[in-house]
Amino acid sequence: MTRLVMKFGGTSMADLERIRRAARLVAAEADAGHKVAVVVSAMSGKTNELVAWTDGAGKASGKAIEGDDEYDVVVASGEQVTAGLLSMTLRNMGYDAVTMLGWQVPIITSDVHGKARILDIPPAKLETALDAGQIVVVPGFQGVTESGRITTLGRGGSDTSAVAVAAAVKAIRCDIYTDVDGVYTTDPRVESKARRLKKISFEEMLEMASLGAKVLQTRSVELAMGQRVPVRVLSSFVEPGENVDQGTIVCDEDEIVEKHIVSGVAFSRDEAKITLLGLPNKIGVSAAVFAKLAEANINVDMIVQSEKRSGDYANQLFTVGRRDAKAAADLMLSVKEEIGFDDIKVDENVAKVSIVGVGMRSHTGVAQTMFQALSEKGINIQVISTSEIKISVLIDEAYTELAVRALHAAYGLDKIGA
Ligand code: ADP
Ligand code: ASP
Ligand code: MG
């Protein structure tokens, strides 16, 4: 009998009715002969509510709220509730189900509270229960440090819990049940013409996730790619049997026959642009700026430096997550004299829009199509960054949806699979 991991997200666990539907899908896989481990999210909205409570309770000794170990004690609780409710529902249906919390499995993580990384999942307890015919329900998002403190994996982290459990028990697949029936060419909430991709490569999914497509947490894709766990994304809003040939398989590139130059458009509003004006144009200045940001654990994404006409001064522009904008600006102001720039500007009304596709490696003109499509809509590009399989632009946030739709049409994504 093969092992299977099924993961249900927040909207799939939103109330008892949805939990019963998830239970029917789990039961069907158990009836089909799989040994099933289920990973669940908290009810949708629950984690936001818990996070807001920790904000209200206040910071511990000057740390960021997320860096506080008590933050994890609070926000990990949402998943415990849904895990227990799903197990109870399965028991009421006559199945032998048991909940194993993060510390009971154990899902051992680093001690970076609020965004811990999974270090190890000793499989013995899970395997014993699965082999004894039990359906094991594991709350996603939560783990435990070596020293026994509760941790959480960062927002959207239940996807990562699921893939990690699948790798630990050597499951044949990790099925991610969510509120859309697969990975689309772009967020179907923004572009109704978005098309479901039957398959997407790990590399493309990794880019899509890290560039803002929240259907899978970035870390879960990294893990699936590294551990070679086949992942399938599919809808939980169906009854057993209705899912046949549905969903999206995330797999190796060479398993995909129908290749696209561009597979998807992703966007992120979690961006802020910081510009340092009149920096001395001399060796070591960038190193000094970015050393300060790194010391403060602030992630920098796009960077552009432009020389002023005189050549003695330069302007430097970089982007950070919107939550880090104030901290980054305060930090830069505190070293204004030391680094020697004239002024600083912060713009939080920006968004990053990206196109992703492995076909970019071998095709020319992909960037030109992007820039042309944006210019036709009168959208100004503030910053450009590229990698082998993606091109990102920073634009005025007000044009995000317009840009996503324009790019979706420019690459013919509305016709994929048609
Ligand atoms: P869950 O609660 O199941 O983890 P999420 O809300 O985290 O679900 O992720 C699913 C959502 O991701 C969808 O409702 C959709 O709006 C969004 N999304 C963004 N980009 C995409 C995409 N390319 N394909 C599918 N869904 C996407
Ligand atoms: N409940 C957590 C969140 O909302 C984890 C998850 O659902 O993946 O971020
Ligand atoms: Mg999610």
Side-chain angles (χ1 to χ4, degrees):
M1 286 217 300
T2 48
R3 297 180 181 143
L4 178 69
V5 171
M6 304 171 75
K7 180 254 169 179
F8 292 90
T11 29
S12 314
M13 287 280 117
D15 53 36
L16 288 176
E17 177 108 15
R18 299 257 171 98
I19 291 176
R20 277 193 285 271
R21 182 147 54 174
R24 289 196 288 277
L25 291 167
V26 172
E29 293 291 6
D31 292 345
H34 289 117
K35 296 177 175 177
V36 188
V38 191
V39 174
V40 295
S41 287
M43 291 182 182
S44 59
K46 191 36 114 182
T47 309
N48 288 346
E49 184 187 48
L50 296 170
V51 169
W53 283 350
T54 66
D55 282 340
K59 283 187 195 179
S61 59
K63 287 182 194 163
I65 296 270
E66 299 90 5
D68 183 346
D69 52 356
E70 295 299 335
Y71 165 93
D72 285 342
V73 173
V74 178
V75 300
S77 66
E79 271 72 8
Q80 175 162 342
V81 174
T82 45
L85 290 172
L86 179 63
S87 294
M88 289 175 83
T89 309
L90 285 162
R91 285 186 184 183
N92 285 330
M93 290 165 64
Y95 291 83
D96 184 6
V98 63
T99 294
M100 273 190 211
L101 301 179
W103 63 270
Q104 291 171 314
V105 172
I107 296 179
I108 299 170
T109 74
S110 67
D111 61 0
V112 185
H113 289 278
K115 43 181 166 194
R117 283 171 81 95
I118 296 177
L119 301 176
D120 188 23
I121 304 184
K125 279 194 202 152
L126 285 170
E127 287 181 346
T128 306
L130 291 171
D131 290 344
Q134 289 188 299
I135 295 171
V136 185
V137 183
V138 178
F141 190 48
Q142 52 172 255
V144 64
T145 63
E146 304 265 12
S147 61
R149 299 292 295 163
I150 302 294
T151 52
T152 58
L153 306 179
R155 299 307 304 269
S158 297
D159 297 327
T160 303
S161 309
V163 173
V165 166
V169 302
K170 301 190 183 58
I172 48 152
R173 204 174 56 243
C174 181
D175 282 342
I176 308 275
Y177 286 82
T178 181
D179 57 0
V180 273
D181 64 349
V183 178
Y184 277 68
T185 47
T186 193
D187 188 340
R189 287 179 209 268
V190 167
E191 172 54 286
S192 57
K193 294 188 193 129
R195 307 281 302 182
R196 178 169 60 88
L197 295 161
K198 292 193 178 113
K199 290 185 174 178
I200 185 169
S201 67
F202 284 121
E203 286 85 353
E204 287 172 319
M205 192 63 239
L206 190 59
E207 290 284 7
M208 289 280 281
S210 69
L211 294 167
K214 74 164 185 167
V215 60
L216 288 177
Q217 198 200 33
T218 307
R219 180 77 193 117
S220 73
V221 188
E222 255 170 27
L223 201 64
M225 196 163 144
Q227 304 276 325
R228 318 233 59 81
V229 178
V231 170
R232 189 166 62 147
V233 177
L234 64 178
S235 170
S236 69
F237 297 167
V238 293
E239 291 301 326
E242 290 176 2
N243 257 330
V244 182
D245 286 334
Q246 291 298 302
T248 299
I249 296 185
V250 190
C251 58
D252 278 331
E253 199 181 318
D254 52 20
E255 286 174 46
I256 303 179
V257 184
E258 195 194 351
K259 292 205 168 62
H260 316 292
I261 299 175
V262 169
S263 295
V265 182
F267 59 91
S268 160
R269 294 190 175 92
D270 178 25
E271 309 287 329
K273 179 178 80 172
I274 296 186
T275 315
L276 303 179
L277 298 161
L279 273 172
N281 193 7
K282 59 178 197 216
I283 291 169
V285 171
S286 296
V289 168
F290 292 103
K292 296 285 177 204
L293 294 164
E295 274 165 34
N297 262 328
I298 296 173
N299 258 331
V300 176
D301 179 17
M302 300 166 130
I303 304 171
V304 177
Q305 179 162 320
S306 57
E307 211 170 87
K308 283 200 178 167
R309 202 174 297 168
S310 72
D312 297 337
Y313 292 94
N315 294 335
Q316 193 160 59
L317 176 165
F318 55 86
T319 63
V320 296
R322 212 169 274 179
R323 280 180 312 269
D324 288 335
K326 189 170 181 310
D330 289 349
L331 181 67
M332 287 297 112
L333 276 174
S334 73
V335 294
K336 185 166 178 262
E337 302 300 309
E338 188 186 324
I339 291 179
F341 58 89
D342 291 337
D343 206 356
I344 178 169
K345 281 199 305 193
V346 181
D347 183 356
E348 298 196 11
N349 299 312
V350 288
K352 182 170 65 173
V353 178
S354 312
I355 54 167
V356 173
V358 286
M360 266 181 233
R361 292 194 196 115
S362 48
H363 284 78
T364 55
V366 180
Q368 198 273 335
T369 304
M370 181 179 203
F371 304 153
Q372 181 73 30
L374 294 173
S375 83
E376 278 166 14
K377 296 288 177 198
I379 300 171
N380 184 41
I381 299 173
Q382 304 180 14
V383 184
I384 302 169
S385 78
T386 64
S387 78
E388 207 188 9
I389 65 162
K390 67 112 187 184
I391 306 172
S392 300
V393 294
L394 195 73
I395 60 169
D396 183 333
E397 185 186 6
Y399 298 115
T400 312
E401 305 205 344
L402 182 64
V404 168
R405 292 194 201 111
L407 295 174
H408 197 264
Y411 294 100
L413 295 179
D414 43 352
K415 303 198 179 59
I416 278 189

